[in-house]
Amino acid sequence: MSSEEMLYAQGSKIWVPHAEQVWESATLEESYRKGAGFLKICTESGSLKEVKLKADGSDLPPLRNPAILVGQNDLTTLSYLHEPGVLHNLRVRFCERQIIYTYCGIILVAINPYAEMPLYGPNIIRAYRGHAMGDLEPHIFALAEEAYTKLERENCNLSIIVSGESGAGKTVSAKYAMRYFAAVGGSESETQVERKVLASSPIMEAFGNAKTTRNDNSSRFGKFTKLLFRNQMGVMYLQGATMHTYLLEKSRVVYQAQGERNYHIFYQLCAARSKYPELVLDHQDKFQFLNMGGAPDIDRVSDADQFNETVQAMTVLGFSIQQIADIVKILAGILHLGNIQVSKKFNEGSEEEDTDSCEIFHNDIHLQITGDLLRVSAEDLRRWLLMRKIESVNEYVLIPNNIEAAQAARDALAKHIYAKLFQYIVGVLNKSLNNGSKQCSFIGVLDIYGFETFEVNSFEQFCINYANEKLQQQFNQHVFKLEQEEYLKEGITWTMIDFYDNQPCIDLIESRLGVLDLLDEECRMPKGSDESWAGKLIGKCSKFPHFEKPRFGTTSFFIKHFSDTVEYDVNGFLEKNRDTVSKELTQVLGESNMSLVKQVMTLEEIDTLSVDAAKSSTLGGRVVISAGRKQQGNDTRRRVVPSKQHRKTVGSQFQESLSSLISTLHATTPHYVRCIKPNDDKIAFKWETAKIIQQLRACGVLETVRISAAGFPSRWLYPDFYMRYQLLVYRSKLDKNDMKQSCRNIVMKWIQDEDKYRFGNTQIFFRAGQVAFLEQVRANLRKKYITIVQSVVRRFIYRRRFLRIQMVIHGIQMHARGFLARQRVQKMREARAGLILSKYARGWLCRRRYLRLRHSIFGIQTYARGMMARSKFHAMRDHYRAVQIQRFVRGALARRAYQKRRRNIIICQAAIRRFLARRKFKRMKAEAKTISHMENKYMGLENKIISMQQRIDELNRDNSNLKHKTSEISVLKMKLELKKTLEGEFKNVKAACQDKDKLIEALNKQLEAERDEKMQLLEENGHAQEEWLSQKQTWRQENEELRRQIDEIIEMAKNAEVSQRTQEDRMLAEIDNRELNEAYQRAIKDKEVIENENYMLKEELSRLTAGSFTLHGRKASNASSQNEDDVGYASAKNTLDINRPPDLLSKNYPYNDFTSLVVKLRAILEEEKQKHKNLQGQYIKLANRNKPTEDSFRPACSPAGRGP
């Protein structure tokens, strides 16, 4: 049996391609035989399939790794190194175990979890300090510790290359690596250095990161940070750092795609605009450069807080307050520059549009603000936005710009300013991070963009993918070199490993007549265009195998990169490569009155990696400012600008800086971190297989696996191999003292092909799949031996179990028979005892039932007789009280009639006397006109006046005393009426109680009647319950009707009171002393009406509460009266005139007191209100007392409800 037939036996696990999941696990339903044309498999979903094969078996599906190797922390330790095995191992670690780091040889694969992980605290740093790379779980700290340990041991330069696509976590991984170096390389005397290194991250993220459709904090530039260390007493201490940047995405300043943002610093500045009112900023949606993407906010991120953090970091890194203020002004100037409106211009004297020119109004507010913020002439800025200068040999020509050209000039100026400002900030950071001392060695951290491919790919994606091609080439060479070193170290023979070389693709880009060369040549052409350049590419580059021309059109081209074929759109390539900005506009900014603007505009692009760091004061960010010189006839300074023909393009600059970077990386020992983005939705631990496999191919992980698989990927130390596979040979061929020979015997017995393995000095090297073959052999042998052992052990176990069961069954039968006999006797005893117990229990229950019933009957009779006696007593008492009330009422009515008649007589007498007095007055008036009368009249006048004055004083004193007594009488009268009211209410309550007692007596009688018939007790009880429920419902309805009537009566009383008050006010305004008596009589009549209504309400309340039991009493129909106006007991005449002294009624002045009359009337009305409230409360109490409950029937019903 061949090794393929053994490995592809029935039940073996394999991988088959899948349309959505890329790879799917399956199980072989039949064993493979050489020459077979197909394999029968069963997938994980349960479907049966047939896989077609070639006759030689070269396309057999890949095998799954053994279960012991699934979830390994190093992909190169897998027995089967292929794409589905790597993908499955990563998925198990990431999704099932939630482990984001995995080794792949020298590569650390980091998968972005999109969740906060507690993996980066100080305790974790201390845990990884001093441990080798494979001792603990894979981690970015383990890789950093490996680099730092090598730095301490060999004192050489190292680098950590972090790559991946946007959103994969490159920036975070680089940040944590630098944090580890700052932590382990710091000292107590130099904590400021680590603080500055860590503080540089917020600044670079604010000025160089932006939100994209794939990442909320995407780095839009490449960054290579050198952490400088010095050797002090054998320990490496962090001395400083330098930073180098590559290819800032300047086009993002003026344009953002849908769902993206500009650089973070602009939004942070708008959020903090209240701190800088001089910038005249508004909401971010008001600026043209910020509102294109339509996504101005980031979830769970505050731009205002981020701005404070950025300013604080700039302060830590040495930016002065004036520098920060000037930087903020430049940023605000860029925003206002984007809002300058370029409008159409019309020919003079007509409405025809001039298409060759445009207009910017002088009063454009954003133009003026931009000039003020940048300290430049707004008029010069406007002029050179509308015009451009073309120079010839001896003269220059001014040509107007159309709208598109003016807008392009404005956008180019904004991009130029921001790029120069970014370069200046990097230079200041480098000055602050490096203290200028001599450099010993460094660890470089490269955070660079990964391979990118979009629907529309332009110049930026071309440069990014070009950089990844160069880095992939360096990576392949380094991995191949490490493989060679490992084989030489172990002393084994090996052959050249064939690996993918992307040098042809790099030649296509950077060789003579390549893409970049043709692009620079086209940029130097006066009338060069994107279309003509595309035509030249198709004509010149078709000879390269990695170049493809489009099927239709000439506006795009294809390049076959190492990870994928990318289509590039040629539109904008020339403009972005030239990166031209108007020289006149730069001169306008160079003449600014702000020193920072001048300094920024004079910066030059310098490749700092190619410059000796020791000779540079900034170690990677030198700022060059050209010296000014006086010109003949002109006192102004200007910078000598290189001609357009000698100015380097963006592509050539990027090519040079990339070459310097690759040279630097070749001079260091690199360590690789490949960041993987698991999904586009940014959901925690969500796995998208298709996206991840594309990234694994692009970042070189699978290439590393392929290179490892081409050699001897599986490696075992001799002791480990001996301990695991010693059972594959007989004991005679094993020797613990010579494990190497023992391992050789094991391998040579089972693997006949000597090319499948190599014996090294300390390890055994195997080709891909050989470890899995040995695992299969080991599993088969173990299965065979285990089967033999199991057969013997099972026979012994089952025989012993049979003997035990037989003995136990005999014992169980014996005990069971005795138990059944005893149980039968016990049942007979229990039956006889049960009869005796039931006899006595029944007797006791009957006696207890009889005693309870007799006790209940005695109690009911006692309460019933008492209730009847009380009811009779209450009836007699009510009759007596009614007779007494009639007696008092009749007396009061008689006295009231007498007083009324007497008053009428007095009024008649007063009228007659007034008539006589008037007649006598006329006669005396006639006599007074005579002289004799006048003399008699004035005789003794003085004495009469004095006596009359004394008489008047006496009368006033008497009058005041009488008024005081009158007020006291009214108060006493009100108290008396209140007591009478309370007494009447008390009588009503007693009457209601009597009604309740009668109702209870009737219910007791009903219960006594029901008790006579025992057989019909339950039926009668149910009938009584039904009657009670109906009566209860009737009472509830009557109570609701009564409440409604009481509410209506109360409302009527309130209306009467309101009308009474209105009438009183009118009376007080109109009446005088002569009409006061009439007003008093009207008030008495109104009070009588209200009292009659109250009396009717009391009668209605007593009738409803009494129910069917009518109380004996006298009503208005049978009450004897001598006055037709008196209709009841509660007549107002008795209320007002009772016990009133006759002399008070006969005199005129007491009741002429208007104040006392109003007080009396108000007291009467308040008394009537109080009566209403008392009646309502009394009704509620009676309704609650009349409401019977089920508990009232229980004492009477419970004895009767029991059976005999």
Side-chain angles (χ1 to χ4, degrees):
M1 179 183 294
S2 64
S3 61
E4 288 81 4
E5 293 177 349
M6 182 179 293
L7 292 175
Y8 287 89
Q10 183 180 0
S12 299
K13 301 290 186 179
I14 62 173
W15 294 102
V16 293
H18 190 271
E20 297 179 357
Q21 301 178 7
V22 184
W23 292 98
E24 183 182 19
S25 178
T27 305
L28 290 178
E29 293 294 319
E30 294 181 356
S31 298
Y32 168 72
R33 294 289 181 268
K34 277 192 176 182
F38 61 88
L39 280 177
K40 290 184 179 181
I41 64 172
C42 179
T43 62
E44 279 186 338
S45 58
S47 60
L48 296 175
K49 295 181 180 180
E50 288 187 357
V51 179
K52 294 184 179 180
L53 300 175
K54 294 180 180 180
D56 57 355
S58 59
D59 58 345
L60 284 170
L63 289 166
R64 286 190 58 171
N65 285 288
I68 190 175
L69 299 179
V70 175
Q72 289 292 313
N73 58 11
D74 193 344
L75 298 177
T76 58
T77 61
L78 298 177
S79 177
Y80 299 115
L81 277 174
H82 44 58
E83 183 177 294
V86 170
L87 192 66
H88 179 66
N89 194 76
L90 290 175
R91 188 187 64 80
V92 169
R93 291 178 60 83
F94 182 71
C95 296
E96 298 179 8
R97 305 180 184 178
Q98 294 190 351
I99 301 174
I100 64 174
Y101 292 112
T102 305
Y103 293 130
C104 182
I106 63 172
I107 301 176
L108 176 66
V109 180
I111 305 178
N112 193 345
Y114 289 113
E116 293 294 334
M117 303 290 289
L119 302 175
Y120 308 102
N123 295 331
I124 305 297
I125 294 176
R126 288 191 291 269
Y128 278 90
R129 183 70 179 103
H131 289 275
M133 193 168 177
D135 294 347
L136 301 176
E137 277 292 319
H139 200 285
I140 187 67
F141 291 166
L143 188 73
E145 173 62 22
E146 179 74 13
Y148 185 76
T149 303
K150 190 175 182 64
L151 177 70
E152 285 185 322
R153 184 173 59 250
E154 301 180 10
N155 197 15
C156 61
N157 297 328
L158 298 101
S159 60
I160 297 178
I161 303 173
V162 185
S163 64
E165 73 169 46
S166 178
K170 303 185 301 297
T171 303
V172 176
S173 298
K175 185 191 303 183
Y176 285 132
M178 290 191 292
R179 177 181 297 179
Y180 185 86
F181 291 133
V184 302
S187 63
E188 297 181 357
S189 60
E190 293 183 350
T191 56
Q192 188 68 15
V193 176
E194 302 97 60
R195 183 184 176 193
K196 288 182 178 181
V197 170
L198 297 178
S200 63
S201 296
I203 301 175
M204 300 307 296
E205 289 181 4
F207 285 89
N209 289 21
K211 176 184 177 182
T212 64
T213 56
R214 297 184 178 182
N215 185 12
D216 291 340
N217 190 30
S218 176
S219 299
R220 307 317 299 163
F221 68 101
K223 179 176 65 174
F224 184 66
T225 305
K226 283 185 177 181
L227 300 176
L228 309 177
F229 293 86
R230 76 172 186 274
N231 191 344
Q232 182 177 352
M233 304 295 293
V235 179
M236 290 294 179
Y237 288 97
L238 183 63
Q239 177 183 356
T242 60
M243 189 181 304
H244 316 279
T245 60
Y246 309 95
L247 196 63
L248 176 69
E249 188 181 4
K250 294 185 287 186
S251 60
R252 182 169 293 273
V253 178
V254 298
Y255 174 76
Q256 306 91 44
Q258 189 64 29
E260 297 187 353
R261 292 204 325 173
N262 207 323
Y263 290 103
H264 295 327
I265 188 62
F266 292 113
Y267 301 92
Q268 295 175 8
L269 184 59
C270 290
R273 59 183 178 273
S274 59
K275 298 181 179 179
Y276 302 97
E278 67 275 6
L279 303 181
V280 198
L281 291 176
D282 201 346
H283 191 266
Q284 53 203 13
D285 293 338
K286 302 296 183 181
F287 293 101
Q288 182 67 24
F289 286 166
L290 303 182
N291 58 11
M292 296 181 184
D297 299 321
I298 300 176
D299 295 338
R300 300 183 299 274
V301 174
S302 172
D303 289 323
D305 297 340
Q306 293 292 323
F307 181 77
N308 295 333
E309 184 179 354
T310 302
V311 173
Q312 184 178 2
M314 294 176 73
T315 304
V316 171
L317 287 169
F319 287 86
S320 64
I321 298 176
Q322 184 61 38
Q323 282 179 314
I324 297 175
D326 291 343
I327 291 173
V328 168
K329 289 181 180 179
I330 294 175
L331 294 173
I334 294 174
L335 294 179
H336 287 290
L337 179 63
N339 278 15
I340 296 177
Q341 295 295 327
V342 181
S343 57
K344 298 179 181 178
K345 185 177 182 181
F346 299 92
N347 294 325
E348 297 182 1
S350 65
E351 296 182 356
E352 183 180 359
E353 180 182 354
D354 186 2
T355 58
D356 294 333
S357 61
C358 57
E359 180 64 29
I360 297 177
F361 297 107
H362 292 275
N363 58 353
D364 192 317
I365 183 64
H366 293 287
L367 177 64
Q368 302 297 329
I369 294 174
T370 304
D372 294 340
L373 292 176
L374 300 180
R375 307 285 295 276
V376 298
S377 172
E379 186 60 32
D380 292 343
L381 183 62
R382 173 182 174 274
R383 177 189 178 189
W384 294 116
L385 286 175
L386 298 177
M387 305 289 291
R388 66 180 184 272
K389 182 192 295 185
I390 297 180
E391 297 181 0
S392 62
V393 179
N394 298 322
E395 61 181 4
Y396 63 87
V397 180
L398 296 179
I399 299 177
N401 290 330
N402 55 19
I403 293 179
E404 291 76 11
Q407 291 176 347
R410 179 196 63 189
D411 294 347
L413 180 62
K415 293 188 292 184
H416 184 72
I417 295 173
Y418 190 80
K420 291 294 184 180
L421 179 62
F422 185 80
Q423 182 183 355
Y424 169 78
I425 291 173
V426 173
V428 176
L429 290 179
N430 287 333
K431 287 183 179 180
S432 177
L433 292 174
N434 183 44
N435 55 13
S437 58
K438 185 177 180 180
Q439 174 184 345
C440 179
S441 55
F442 69 87
I443 297 178
V445 180
L446 177 62
D447 176 11
I448 198 161
Y449 16 67
F451 186 83
E452 289 187 356
T453 173
F454 301 107
E455 293 182 1
V456 178
N457 300 286
S458 187
F459 182 73
E460 291 84 4
Q461 282 71 41
F462 173 77
C463 294
I464 289 172
N465 295 338
Y466 168 48
N468 279 271
E469 287 284 353
K470 297 284 286 185
L471 291 174
Q472 183 66 24
Q473 185 186 42
Q474 186 270 342
F475 169 75
N476 291 341
Q477 294 173 356
H478 180 70
V479 171
F480 177 66
K481 179 182 177 181
L482 290 181
E483 288 289 320
Q484 290 178 334
E485 291 177 354
E486 182 71 17
Y487 296 155
L488 292 175
K489 176 182 176 182
E490 291 293 328
I492 63 175
T493 59
W494 56 281
T495 58
M496 181 65 66
I497 299 174
D498 182 22
F499 65 94
Y500 173 78
D501 187 8
N502 55 354
Q503 185 61 41
C505 184
I506 296 175
D507 293 338
L508 167 64
I509 297 174
E510 64 183 14
S511 66
R512 179 173 178 79
L513 297 180
V515 176
L516 288 178
D517 188 61
L518 292 176
L519 181 61
D520 292 343
E521 181 182 351
E522 191 67 21
C523 289
R524 289 191 291 268
M525 299 296 292
K527 295 184 179 181
S529 63
D530 296 326
E531 290 76 10
S532 62
W533 174 64
K536 291 181 181 179
L537 281 179
I538 296 174
K540 301 290 185 180
C541 296
S542 299
K543 60 182 180 180
F544 291 96
H546 289 266
F547 181 86
E548 288 185 4
K549 62 181 180 179
R551 294 183 180 179
F552 306 100
T554 58
T555 60
S556 63
F557 62 94
F558 293 86
I559 293 181
K560 297 179 182 179
H561 292 285
F562 69 95
S563 62
D564 198 3
T565 300
V566 182
E567 180 183 8
Y568 296 101
D569 189 353
V570 299
N571 293 325
F573 260 74
L574 265 67
E575 183 65 28
K576 294 177 181 178
N577 189 45
R578 291 192 185 108
D579 193 22
T580 56
V581 63
S582 175
K583 182 173 67 173
E584 290 74 21
L585 288 174
T586 58
Q587 289 179 354
V588 171
L589 294 177
E591 296 173 356
S592 171
N593 295 325
M594 184 189 298
S595 60
L596 182 60
V597 174
K598 286 184 178 180
Q599 187 177 358
V600 165
M601 297 309 296
T602 54
L603 291 177
E604 293 182 354
E605 297 287 346
I606 293 179
D607 182 12
T608 55
L609 286 177
S610 61
V611 181
D612 186 9
K615 297 180 181 180
S616 177
S617 60
T618 61
L619 287 176
R622 187 175 57 171
V623 179
V624 179
I625 302 176
S626 61
R629 60 178 181 178
K630 292 185 178 181
Q631 304 293 334
Q632 293 180 358
N634 188 4
D635 294 336
T636 60
R637 292 183 178 181
R638 69 172 183 173
R639 176 173 171 268
V640 179
V641 180
S643 63
K644 187 178 298 185
Q645 288 76 10
H646 295 88
R647 187 175 183 270
K648 291 184 179 180
T649 61
V650 175
S652 61
Q653 293 177 11
F654 183 71
Q655 183 179 1
E656 292 177 2
S657 61
L658 185 60
S659 299
S660 300
L661 174 63
I662 297 300
S663 300
T664 303
L665 295 179
H666 278 303
T668 62
T669 302
H671 297 74
Y672 299 93
V673 179
R674 295 295 187 251
C675 299
I676 304 298
K677 184 178 182 180
N679 59 81
D680 289 328
D681 301 327
K682 304 173 185 176
I683 299 176
F685 293 100
K686 179 182 178 183
W687 181 271
E688 293 182 0
T689 307
K691 182 173 184 61
I692 291 175
I693 198 65
Q694 189 272 336
Q695 295 178 72
L696 291 176
R697 293 167 181 167
C699 68
V701 174
L702 295 182
E703 183 65 18
T704 304
V705 170
R706 196 191 66 80
I707 293 175
S708 299
F712 299 92
S714 301
R715 301 159 191 184
W716 285 76
L717 295 175
Y718 286 111
D720 296 339
F721 186 84
Y722 174 82
M723 294 301 297
R724 182 161 185 82
Y725 298 108
Q726 60 180 334
L727 58 87
L728 298 184
V729 295
Y730 296 110
R731 290 186 178 272
S732 59
K733 293 186 178 182
L734 295 178
D735 185 5
K736 292 184 179 180
N737 298 323
D738 190 1
M739 290 187 179
K740 186 173 182 179
Q741 184 60 38
S742 300
C743 294
R744 185 184 297 272
N745 295 335
I746 296 172
V747 173
M748 294 178 65
K749 178 181 179 181
W750 293 102
I751 303 177
Q752 306 300 327
D753 189 357
E754 296 182 356
D755 187 56
K756 298 295 184 181
Y757 58 88
R758 292 289 187 275
F759 294 100
N761 297 328
T762 59
Q763 301 179 26
I764 307 177
F765 294 80
F766 293 97
R767 296 283 188 186
Q770 299 307 308
V771 175
F773 172 71
L774 292 177
E775 282 290 325
Q776 185 69 32
V777 173
R778 180 176 180 271
N780 294 338
L781 286 176
R782 290 185 63 188
K783 184 177 180 181
K784 176 182 176 182
Y785 297 152
I786 289 171
T787 303
I788 297 173
V789 173
Q790 284 178 346
S791 64
V792 176
V793 172
R794 284 171 183 168
R795 175 187 174 279
F796 171 76
I797 291 173
Y798 281 104
R799 187 175 182 282
R800 187 176 60 177
R801 185 183 301 173
F802 169 74
L803 295 176
R804 288 181 180 178
I805 291 175
Q806 187 179 34
M807 183 179 62
V808 169
I809 288 174
H810 291 326
I812 290 175
Q813 288 178 348
M814 179 182 62
H815 290 287
R817 289 171 183 145
F819 174 75
L820 291 175
R822 287 189 296 272
Q823 192 177 26
R824 190 178 301 111
V825 173
Q826 184 66 22
K827 286 183 178 179
M828 294 172 63
R829 290 177 180 175
E830 290 177 355
R832 185 174 180 277
L835 292 176
I836 298 173
L837 290 175
S838 62
K839 178 181 68 173
Y840 287 104
R842 288 170 184 169
W844 179 77
L845 290 174
C846 291
R847 283 193 300 275
R848 188 178 64 170
R849 191 181 301 113
Y850 167 75
L851 293 175
R852 286 183 178 178
L853 183 62
R854 187 178 67 174
H855 177 72
S856 300
I857 291 172
F858 285 164
I860 292 172
Q861 288 178 350
T862 302
Y863 286 112
R865 288 168 184 166
M867 184 181 68
M868 293 172 62
R870 286 190 294 273
S871 299
K872 187 176 180 180
F873 168 74
H874 289 320
M876 294 173 64
R877 186 179 61 183
D878 292 343
H879 182 269
Y880 172 77
R881 289 177 178 176
V883 172
Q884 294 297 324
I885 290 172
Q886 289 178 356
R887 180 171 67 85
F888 284 112
V889 168
R890 287 169 183 167
L893 294 175
R895 285 191 295 274
R896 185 181 295 174
Y898 166 74
Q899 295 291 342
K900 183 176 181 181
R901 192 177 296 110
R902 179 183 175 186
R903 183 179 179 188
N904 293 335
I905 293 171
I906 292 172
I907 291 172
C908 293
Q909 289 177 353
I912 294 171
R913 288 171 182 167
R914 182 178 60 184
F915 171 75
L916 294 176
R918 286 180 178 175
R919 187 170 59 179
K920 184 178 180 180
F921 172 72
K922 291 180 180 179
R923 186 172 60 250
M924 290 175 68
K925 185 176 181 181
E927 291 176 356
K929 294 180 180 180
T930 61
I931 297 174
S932 59
H933 179 72
M934 295 296 293
E935 291 177 354
N936 294 330
K937 183 178 180 180
Y938 289 105
M939 187 179 297
L941 183 60
E942 295 180 356
N943 296 329
K944 290 181 179 181
I945 291 172
I946 294 172
S947 62
M948 290 178 67
Q949 184 67 36
Q950 294 176 354
R951 180 62 178 169
I952 289 170
D953 295 338
E954 293 176 358
L955 291 175
N956 289 333
R957 287 194 297 270
D958 295 339
N959 191 11
S960 62
N961 294 331
L962 289 174
K963 287 181 179 181
H964 180 68
K965 292 179 180 180
T966 302
S967 63
E968 292 178 354
I969 290 171
S970 63
V971 173
L972 294 175
K973 194 178 296 181
M974 291 170 62
K975 293 181 179 181
L976 180 61
E977 291 300 328
L978 181 61
K979 291 181 179 179
K980 288 182 179 181
T981 304
L982 295 175
E983 183 177 0
E985 293 177 356
F986 181 74
K987 291 178 181 179
N988 293 333
V989 172
K990 286 185 177 180
C993 292
Q994 291 177 0
D995 295 338
K996 292 293 183 179
D997 294 335
K998 290 179 180 180
L999 180 60
I1000 294 172
E1001 182 179 0
L1003 293 174
N1004 290 330
K1005 290 179 180 180
Q1006 184 179 0
L1007 291 175
E1008 290 176 359
E1010 291 175 352
R1011 249 187 248 104
D1012 296 335
E1013 298 178 359
K1014 292 184 180 180
M1015 299 302 295
Q1016 300 178 357
L1017 181 60
L1018 295 175
E1019 181 179 359
E1020 291 297 331
N1021 188 16
H1023 182 66
Q1025 290 292 337
E1026 294 177 356
E1027 289 182 354
W1028 162 245
L1029 292 175
S1030 61
Q1031 185 66 21
K1032 182 178 178 181
Q1033 185 67 22
T1034 304
W1035 285 349
R1036 185 181 291 106
Q1037 295 176 357
E1038 288 177 355
N1039 290 339
E1040 293 176 355
E1041 182 66 19
L1042 180 58
R1043 287 192 183 96
R1044 185 182 61 78
Q1045 292 179 2
I1046 290 174
D1047 294 336
E1048 292 177 355
I1049 293 171
I1050 292 172
E1051 187 66 26
M1052 292 172 61
K1054 290 181 179 179
N1055 294 333
E1057 181 182 356
V1058 172
S1059 61
Q1060 179 66 21
R1061 289 182 179 177
T1062 305
Q1063 187 176 2
E1064 288 176 1
D1065 294 339
R1066 182 173 54 80
M1067 289 167 58
L1068 292 175
E1070 294 178 357
I1071 64 174
D1072 53 6
N1073 292 334
R1074 291 178 300 176
E1075 296 175 348
L1076 185 59
N1077 190 20
E1078 295 177 1
Y1080 180 74
Q1081 293 298 326
R1082 285 196 299 271
I1084 292 175
K1085 290 180 180 181
D1086 293 335
K1087 183 177 181 302
E1088 289 176 354
V1089 173
I1090 295 174
E1091 287 184 346
N1092 289 332
E1093 292 177 353
N1094 289 338
Y1095 178 76
M1096 293 174 64
L1097 180 61
K1098 289 180 181 179
E1099 292 294 325
E1100 183 68 15
L1101 179 61
S1102 62
R1103 182 181 65 81
L1104 293 174
T1105 55
S1108 60
F1109 303 98
T1110 305
L1111 295 176
H1112 177 70
R1114 297 176 62 87
K1115 299 181 180 178
S1117 61
N1118 60 359
S1120 61
S1121 175
Q1122 297 178 1
N1123 192 346
E1124 59 183 1
D1125 295 334
D1126 189 7
V1127 296
Y1129 298 146
S1131 176
K1133 296 179 179 180
N1134 185 27
T1135 304
L1136 293 177
D1137 297 337
I1138 187 168
N1139 296 330
R1140 180 175 295 176
D1143 55 347
L1144 294 177
L1145 295 174
S1146 61
K1147 292 183 181 181
N1148 293 328
Y1149 61 88
Y1151 58 81
N1152 288 335
D1153 189 357
F1154 181 75
T1155 303
S1156 62
L1157 178 59
V1158 174
V1159 172
K1160 292 177 182 179
L1161 292 175
R1162 289 183 178 176
I1164 292 169
L1165 292 175
E1166 293 296 332
E1167 183 179 353
E1168 296 304 323
K1169 290 181 182 179
Q1170 189 64 31
K1171 287 181 180 180
H1172 278 293
K1173 294 181 180 178
N1174 294 334
L1175 288 174
Q1176 189 173 3
Q1178 186 65 26
Y1179 166 72
I1180 295 172
K1181 292 179 181 179
L1182 292 176
N1184 293 331
R1185 291 185 60 183
N1186 285 336
K1187 182 178 179 182
T1189 59
E1190 295 179 359
D1191 296 336
S1192 62
F1193 292 99
R1194 289 178 180 172
C1197 297
S1198 58
R1202 298 181 180 272

